[in-house]
């Protein structure tokens, strides 16, 4: 049950905490139990040398399944190709090797974002802070602190110096978010790679909400071995705009088409363009619509990757009542493989009823603030939940 990531990858999270994997339910801690945090001056090298990482590596080497990696174990149980399996395939040539250098860095350079997606929070989007404070005024100080930590790329100069300790051997740099195309310091890292003559060895990977085409930085990408750009698109038209507020579906598709044009013009560099569809409670009743739209109107070749929402629990399909899950399961019978895996994931665990109550409360609350209507945008799901105190 090995995973390559603890041996080759370092992750900087939006709130300054650090780990080795973006879906791992644990961050690196010091011996006294306090977390390493970039907002307080710590660095990736501190984590790389930590006893926390050594213990994690020993667990995998001895065949243990760390509880912090439950997201992967749960996906694999549902027949879904987990991040662990995907990364092991990607880095297969390094599996089993000893004393590997840092080959990959996942750099979430703060929580700066121009969206407040329904499936997100202030942890990954600065836009959420004000709304969360209105929802729970007693947490105002905590939310402001989260937002302050999310600005760590502007305050931790040691981080940018420390990057030099890792770039020489790096073969992949991931820039997720927040919205990575809003964060100019990420492009400074690219310029540093080009200046050092190592860019041609490195693959770049981005996850964008499709609202921005970074025209003035496009010229940098041709120096890199490969550039992967994944668009977060969960649904179509008004459902997309509700989930990815205040995103505009037409703008996102226009941006996607610009990147497809980059992919098809080899003089601009080597590009792989894909879509991340995040499966949440919001789109669980419309799983085929995005795939159909992309295949019919955009590009038959573009891959769509299906990510499952674990947390926040109130946005996961796992929180749905038993009767609703049964309806959805029946609706998709028979179904394609990716939908069947999604249904198995949904049915594989039942979250506490409080998650449903939170979903209802927060959905009504955000609808009022944003002048949106859940019942108009998702009529089928609304009918299914009417009897669970939604009205």
């Amino acid at each position: 049950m090995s995973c390559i990531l603890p041996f080759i990858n370092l992750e900087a999270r939006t709130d300054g905490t650090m780990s080795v994997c973006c879906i791992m339910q644990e961050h690196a801690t010091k011996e006294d139990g306090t977390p390493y945090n970039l907002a307080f001056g710590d660095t990736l090298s501190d984590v790389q040398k930590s006893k926390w990482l050594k213990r994690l590596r020993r667990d995998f080497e001895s065949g243990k399944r760390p509880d912090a990696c439950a997201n992967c174990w749960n996906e694999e149980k549902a027949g879904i190709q987990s991040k662990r399996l995907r990364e092991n395939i990607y880095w297969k040539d390094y599996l089993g090797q000893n004393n590997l250098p840092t080959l990959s860095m996942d750099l979430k350079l703060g929580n700066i974002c121009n969206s407040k997606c329904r499936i997100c929070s202030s942890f990954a989007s600065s836009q959420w802070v004000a709304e969360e404070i209105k929802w729970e005024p007693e947490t105002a100080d905590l939310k402001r602190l989260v937002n302050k930590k999310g600005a760590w790329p502007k305050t931790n100069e040691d981080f940018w110096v420390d990057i030099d300790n890792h770039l020489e051997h790096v073969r992949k740099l991931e820039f997720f978010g927040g919205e990575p195309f809003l964060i100019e310091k990420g492009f400074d890292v690219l310029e540093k790679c080009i200046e050092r003559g190592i860019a041609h060895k490195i693959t770049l990977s981005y996850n964008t909400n499709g609202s921005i085409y970074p025209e003035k930085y496009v010229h940098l990408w041709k120096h890199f071995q490969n550039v992967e750009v994944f668009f977060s698109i969960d649904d179509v038209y008004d459902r997309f705009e509700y989930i990815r507020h205040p995103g505009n579906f037409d703008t996102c598709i226009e941006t996607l088409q610009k990147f497809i044009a980059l992919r098809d013009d080899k003089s601009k560099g080597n590009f792989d363009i894909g879509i991340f569809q995040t499966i949440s409670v919001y789109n669980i009743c419309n799983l085929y619509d995005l795939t159909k739209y992309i295949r019919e109107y955009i590009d038959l070749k573009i891959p769509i990757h299906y990510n499952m929402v674990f947390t926040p629990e109130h946005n996961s399909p796992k929180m749905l009542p038993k009767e609703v899950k049964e309806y959805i399961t029946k609706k998709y019978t028979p179904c394609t493989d990716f939908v069947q895996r999604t249904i198995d994931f949904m049915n594989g665990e039942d979250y506490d009823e409080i998650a449903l109550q939170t979903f209802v409360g927060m959905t009504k609350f955000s609808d009022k603030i944003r002048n949106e209507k859940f019942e108009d945008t998702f009529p089928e799901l609304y009918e299914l939940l009417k009897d669970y105190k939604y009205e």
Side-chain angles (χ1 to χ4, degrees), residues 80-339:
I80 297 169
Q81 188 182 57
S82 67
K83 182 172 178 63
R84 180 185 78 89
L85 295 176
R86 294 194 302 271
E87 296 293 344
N88 282 355
I89 292 169
Y90 186 91
W91 299 101
K92 62 182 184 298
D93 293 340
Y94 297 93
L95 281 171
Q97 293 188 30
N98 297 318
N99 301 317
L100 290 166
T102 301
L103 297 172
S104 175
M105 288 195 291
D106 179 354
L107 304 178
K108 300 176 180 70
L109 301 175
N111 69 340
I112 302 302
C113 192
N114 56 359
S115 295
K116 49 179 178 179
C117 305
R118 293 277 180 152
I119 55 176
C120 194
S121 70
S122 56
F123 175 82
S125 171
S126 54
Q127 295 296 312
W128 256 108
V129 176
E131 193 163 320
E132 287 181 348
I133 290 174
K134 290 179 181 179
W135 167 249
E136 294 180 323
E138 67 276 12
T139 67
D141 289 343
L142 175 62
K143 298 303 181 184
R144 292 189 184 102
L145 177 60
V146 168
N147 208 38
K148 185 177 180 180
K149 288 181 179 178
W152 65 261
K154 296 180 180 179
T155 61
N156 188 343
E157 291 300 325
D158 288 343
F159 169 82
W160 300 105
V161 175
D162 181 61
I163 284 285
D164 286 341
N165 296 327
H166 305 286
L167 284 179
E168 187 61 36
H169 299 287
V170 161
R171 294 296 175 263
K172 190 169 189 179
L173 288 171
E174 296 183 332
F175 297 95
F176 288 12
E179 170 50 49
F181 293 154
L182 278 176
I183 302 172
E184 295 198 0
K185 277 186 172 290
F187 295 104
D188 292 343
V189 175
L190 306 195
E191 291 178 339
K192 184 176 290 190
C193 292
I194 295 168
E195 291 168 4
R196 292 178 60 172
I198 58 175
H200 67 285
K201 301 177 183 179
I202 297 173
T203 290
L204 304 176
S205 186
Y206 294 92
N207 186 192
T208 178
N209 61 26
S211 64
I212 297 169
Y213 183 71
E215 184 74 51
K216 69 177 182 176
Y217 295 114
V218 169
H219 69 283
L220 298 176
W221 286 330
K222 65 184 178 183
H223 296 279
F224 289 81
Q225 184 179 69
N226 196 46
V227 182
E228 302 169 344
V229 183
F230 298 100
F231 282 71
S232 290
I233 308 176
D234 307 324
D235 215 320
V236 295
Y237 304 117
D238 60 332
R239 296 197 300 266
F240 167 89
E241 294 174 357
Y242 183 101
I243 296 171
R244 296 279 172 182
H245 179 97
N248 179 275
F249 184 67
D250 290 339
T251 297
C252 181
I253 295 302
E254 288 172 8
T255 306
L256 174 62
Q257 290 173 325
K258 288 180 181 179
F259 274 95
I260 290 174
L262 277 183
R263 179 200 66 188
D264 295 341
D265 183 352
K266 296 306 178 184
S267 69
K268 303 295 186 182
N270 298 312
F271 289 85
D272 289 320
I273 311 301
I275 292 171
F276 283 155
Q277 182 181 19
T278 299
I279 306 300
S280 69
V281 64
Y282 291 106
N283 58 5
I284 192 67
C285 289
N286 306 289
L287 292 176
Y288 286 120
D289 291 6
L290 175 65
T291 301
K292 182 179 179 182
Y293 178 91
I294 295 298
R295 296 289 175 258
E296 288 187 2
Y297 299 112
I298 306 300
D299 192 333
L300 283 171
K301 300 178 292 183
I302 198 166
I304 303 175
H305 306 275
Y306 308 97
N307 298 328
M308 306 297 151
V309 171
F310 296 94
T311 58
E313 290 189 355
H314 62 268
N315 286 328
S316 173
K318 287 177 176 288
M319 68 80 179
L320 289 169
K322 179 180 178 182
E323 294 79 8
V324 175
K325 288 184 177 181
E326 289 175 350
Y327 170 89
I328 293 170
T329 300
K330 185 176 180 180
K331 169 182 173 144
Y332 289 116
T333 303
C335 59
T336 60
D337 286 347
F338 93 83
V339 172

